[in-house]
Amino acid sequence: MLIKCIYLNQYRSINHRVDARSLCLYRWYYSRTCQWSLGLTITVVLLLAFVERPTSLSVSSDPRYRTLTWEPPCGVTESIEMVCLIIFCLDLAVKSYLIGWDEFRKGKWLIGYTMVISVSIIDWVLSVSMVCDEKLRVRRLLRPFFLLQNSSLMKKTLKCIKRTLPEIASVILLLALHLCLFTMIGMLLFAKTEDSEKNGEWRLHFRNLTTSLTSLLVLLTTANNPDVMIPAYSLNRAYAIFFVAFSVIGTYCLMNLLTAIIYNQFRGYLLMSVQTSIIRRRLGIRAAFQVLSCLGLVCIHTHMQAHCVCVDTVLKVMSRVQMKSYYRSTITMVTQKYADVGTMDRQQFQKIFEELDKDRIKEHPPLPQYNSPILQRLQVIFSHYYLNIFGNAVALVNVICICTVLVLNSEKSTAERDNNILEVMNLCFILFYLFEMCMKVFAFGWRGYLSYRNNIFDGLVTILLLVLQITICATYRLPYSQWEPSYHGAVSLWEMVRLVNMLIVFRFLRIIPDIKLMALVASTLLDLVKNLRAFAGILVVVYYVFAVFGIWLFEGAIKPPPGISVLSNTSMENITSNFTMECGTYEQLQYWPNNFDDFAAAIILLYDVMIVNNWQAFMDAYSRYTTEWAKVYFVCWWLTSSVMWVNLFVALILENFIYKWDRSHSCSVTDVERIRYETTVQLMFKYVDTEPTEEELLCQLHQHPHLHLQ
């Protein structure tokens, strides 16, 4: 029980069984090994879509070149999937046991988890009974649920998105009204006339209601600008007013207003949701104090046993608790300050756990001590900040030299280039990099050198460059005046020099930690990768669901005409049949590899549509090859991905960057290197959250289904 009460740094609920056996099971279930195993199982079951029919195991997704691909025999992927489903059943059983039946009935996600597993097993049985020849696998559509239910933050994010939808819907409704209004005006402006030469706008973009709506919807994303207005604009420049007004109101006003609403509303709902997580931590701390105070009978200060905890008991618990070693040692050190008193009251107990919300300060090891005055002087020189600046300047000169040589040789083939000069030049720079690294190791010592993240990056790249340079010298005996540029061994000199140049350019990223704003932006990007996995997870879910639907609806819908060869985007000379193509269409742009014929190809096509560059070509092609209703699918994906999710991601980048900027704008470059900002979603909103009162915490503690405190 004691261990669980201090299990605070994960913001988990404490509404579960608290007997000894249950707590042992709880700790095993939330151990790193168990959670990694569960995560691996979810990954495997999601990746099955790439192997199942229609398989993505081919070099190209282009149907013109796609040969017969290997498909796993019936029972292989099904066996793997059944193992995963069994693991999910065990996961459900453990969760249900830990929280109890009463809490299980209240949990909508657990009930949904049960239903998804049940439907998946039934569908699996039907699939096996049909020898894997079924046309529709319902369980493929349900697999993303396993990813959603395993992340509490992902569930909170989804809940916030759900609550934000009414506000988003109001702006989308305004966009729809704007679109319909301009569609009517456009159909009136560009109606068909008796003069066929003046009907270009009508024929291409305003022939009927569906075409008009589609043309203006695509214009809202700027994907067909200025193509959509050229036929009318070439007749009368005044027609440009219509298209400019539509774009200014729709694209630059309403779409940006939508971004602001999504940012504001979603941030508010996420703040409320994160408040619940912080209350969980405070509730855990309060419960821990209440339980630990029951052991006050063994303390010397027995007259305070009802309101204090014994310091020795807290230290004993902290020695066994599972949390980052840095925070464990910090909390233990703060706790030991009360060792003279022997006990801690409630405020003191809560204060020691405030260390979990503080930034981690990374202390670098002390510099090595040298007795020789000469060595001491050299140590001062090589540990000075100006050495970094000089090294960055040399790296910049190296990159400029490479760029100059590449520009001079841009028109030459690889056989015509004299790579000997570039290689000798790189050799000189690499020797300097090695000298710089050795001097830093001398000045800081090995432990001190490796305590800087930019030194680790710099050292690894320098060692790789040195290994490549030794390989080049051993292979080609450079410098050598009789060397033949056309000589090709196992790896040509140009290929090795090219790899060296790539590493040198990559090494130039070492300047990032030395420029404060650049370091802040880079750390923000890293935090996005580490801490915004929940939002990326929901994007994976959305991609997965739409890809499965796309395969169901459009698999094999578009097939290249027989006899068509590889075409150039600028030439039509290689057409080997009478097949004609309109400029700018799916066929003329050679978009054949973008299709829904397998899962991997569907993912790439959805990404292309999300970017909204030429997305009208895909929408037009699938509406021509299938039905006009295919446009609904692509519009729904555009609304979900480009309108909603991209705006959400922009909002979260802004929030993350503002948080880090506010925390570090008064710090120096050295402080930015030393301080590891623990930027979690909870901490991003901590300073605007309201702390729960003592009465609220006690009220929730008394409602605990398994913990009965006096």
Side-chain angles (χ1 to χ4, degrees), residues 219-455:
L219 179 60
L220 196 65
T221 66
T222 70
N224 61 352
N225 187 63
D227 299 352
V228 69
M229 64 180 284
I230 292 301
Y233 183 60
S234 62
L235 297 176
N236 191 331
R237 68 179 69 209
Y239 282 127
I241 298 174
F242 170 82
F243 297 99
V244 171
F246 176 82
S247 296
V248 169
I249 297 173
T251 306
Y252 297 108
C253 293
L254 293 180
M255 292 297 287
N256 288 325
L257 179 63
L258 182 63
T259 301
I261 290 176
I262 289 176
Y263 173 69
N264 185 60
Q265 295 297 326
F266 181 79
R267 185 181 187 274
Y269 287 125
L270 187 61
L271 177 62
M272 294 168 53
S273 185
V274 169
Q275 174 75 17
T276 304
S277 296
I278 294 178
I279 289 177
R280 286 180 177 179
R281 173 177 282 184
R282 301 295 179 259
L283 190 62
I285 295 173
R286 188 63 182 85
F289 177 80
Q290 195 73 20
V291 173
L292 292 175
S293 65
C294 297
L295 301 181
L297 295 172
V298 300
C299 296
I300 297 176
H301 304 273
T302 55
H303 63 283
M304 299 178 64
Q305 64 183 7
H307 305 286
C308 296
V309 296
C310 186
V311 172
D312 292 337
T313 304
V314 176
L315 292 175
K316 181 179 178 181
V317 171
M318 289 305 303
S319 65
R320 300 178 58 192
V321 72
Q322 293 183 4
M323 64 170 57
K324 292 181 179 179
S325 58
Y326 170 80
Y327 290 114
R328 182 193 290 111
S329 60
T330 304
I331 293 174
T332 301
M333 183 177 62
V334 175
T335 304
Q336 288 173 344
K337 294 179 180 179
Y338 301 97
D340 295 337
V341 180
T343 59
M344 303 168 60
D345 59 24
R346 178 173 56 82
Q347 288 81 8
Q348 292 170 337
F349 185 79
Q350 182 173 345
K351 187 176 181 180
I352 66 173
F353 288 101
E354 291 179 359
E355 300 296 327
L356 294 172
D357 298 333
K358 294 182 179 179
D359 298 316
R360 177 178 176 181
I361 307 298
K362 182 181 178 182
E363 297 293 342
H364 298 293
L367 298 178
Q369 300 296 322
Y370 296 103
N371 296 325
S372 172
I374 298 177
L375 295 180
Q376 292 176 359
R377 183 61 180 169
L378 290 174
Q379 184 181 36
V380 172
I381 295 173
F382 292 123
S383 62
H384 201 278
Y385 178 68
Y386 286 154
L387 180 65
N388 272 341
I389 297 178
F390 181 72
N392 291 338
V394 173
L396 177 61
V397 172
N398 194 181
V399 172
I400 292 175
C401 291
I402 293 174
C403 183
T404 303
V405 173
L406 290 177
V407 171
L408 294 175
N409 294 336
S410 59
E411 297 295 330
K412 298 179 181 179
S413 66
T414 56
E416 296 172 339
R417 298 184 182 189
D418 187 2
N419 297 308
N420 195 12
I421 299 175
L422 183 59
E423 174 52 34
V424 173
M425 181 177 60
N426 284 342
L427 175 61
C428 298
F429 282 105
I430 291 172
L431 290 177
F432 170 79
Y433 299 152
L434 181 63
F435 171 77
E436 181 188 18
M437 184 183 74
C438 293
M439 291 304 100
K440 284 186 176 180
V441 172
F442 160 77
F444 294 102
W446 276 110
R447 292 181 63 243
Y449 179 83
L450 296 176
S451 65
Y452 292 88
R453 286 168 289 183
N454 56 323
N455 282 346

Side-chain angles (χ1 to χ4, degrees), residues 32-292:
R32 181 172 298 181
T33 302
C34 188
Q35 289 301 305
W36 271 90
S37 301
L38 185 58
L40 178 63
T41 304
I42 295 172
T43 304
V44 169
V45 81
L46 291 176
L47 291 178
L48 287 177
F50 292 95
V51 184
E52 296 172 331
R53 286 183 283 182
T55 179
S56 303
L57 301 178
S58 60
V59 176
S60 174
S61 61
D62 194 327
R64 296 172 297 175
Y65 311 123
R66 189 169 182 173
T67 57
L68 292 176
T69 56
W70 177 84
E71 293 184 352
C74 180
V76 175
T77 57
E78 286 72 19
S79 300
I80 297 173
E81 186 174 13
M82 178 48 65
V83 172
C84 295
L85 290 175
I86 292 173
I87 294 175
F88 292 143
C89 289
L90 293 175
D91 175 54
L92 177 63
V94 172
K95 284 182 177 177
S96 304
Y97 170 77
L98 287 175
I99 66 173
W101 173 246
D102 292 336
E103 291 295 313
F104 176 83
R105 289 184 299 174
K106 299 177 185 177
K108 296 180 181 179
W109 282 97
L110 287 177
I111 295 174
Y113 196 15
T114 306
M115 295 178 62
V116 168
I117 292 176
S118 302
V119 173
S120 298
I121 292 176
I122 293 172
D123 190 61
W124 183 90
V125 172
L126 291 175
S127 178
V128 173
S129 64
M130 299 174 67
V131 200
C132 309
D133 196 30
E134 76 281 13
K135 300 297 182 183
L136 201 65
R137 292 191 177 188
V138 178
R139 62 185 186 277
R140 294 184 74 179
L141 194 62
L142 302 178
R143 287 171 185 167
F145 185 88
F146 299 129
L147 179 63
L148 281 176
Q149 66 83 31
N150 195 50
S151 170
S152 60
L153 189 56
M154 206 177 293
K155 288 184 281 190
K156 289 180 185 297
T157 306
L158 197 63
K159 186 177 180 181
C160 294
I161 293 174
K162 177 184 175 183
R163 290 181 175 180
T164 312
L165 284 178
E167 287 79 7
I168 297 175
S170 62
V171 181
I172 292 179
L173 185 62
L174 188 58
L175 271 173
L177 182 62
H178 166 73
L179 183 64
C180 292
L181 177 64
F182 272 82
T183 298
M184 295 296 102
I185 296 174
M187 293 183 70
L188 291 172
L189 281 176
F190 309 115
K192 185 178 180 181
T193 64
E194 297 298 329
D195 189 352
S196 59
E197 294 182 357
K198 297 181 179 181
N199 289 334
E201 190 71 35
W202 169 83
R203 184 173 59 255
L204 294 175
H205 306 294
F206 290 91
R207 178 181 290 270
N208 50 50
L209 180 62
T210 306
T211 305
S212 303
L213 279 171
T214 304
S215 298
L216 291 182
L217 177 64
V218 175
L219 179 60
L220 196 65
T221 66
T222 70
N224 61 352
N225 187 63
D227 299 352
V228 69
M229 64 180 284
I230 292 301
Y233 183 60
S234 62
L235 297 176
N236 191 331
R237 68 179 69 209
Y239 282 127
I241 298 174
F242 170 82
F243 297 99
V244 171
F246 176 82
S247 296
V248 169
I249 297 173
T251 306
Y252 297 108
C253 293
L254 293 180
M255 292 297 287
N256 288 325
L257 179 63
L258 182 63
T259 301
I261 290 176
I262 289 176
Y263 173 69
N264 185 60
Q265 295 297 326
F266 181 79
R267 185 181 187 274
Y269 287 125
L270 187 61
L271 177 62
M272 294 168 53
S273 185
V274 169
Q275 174 75 17
T276 304
S277 296
I278 294 178
I279 289 177
R280 286 180 177 179
R281 173 177 282 184
R282 301 295 179 259
L283 190 62
I285 295 173
R286 188 63 182 85
F289 177 80
Q290 195 73 20
V291 173
L292 292 175

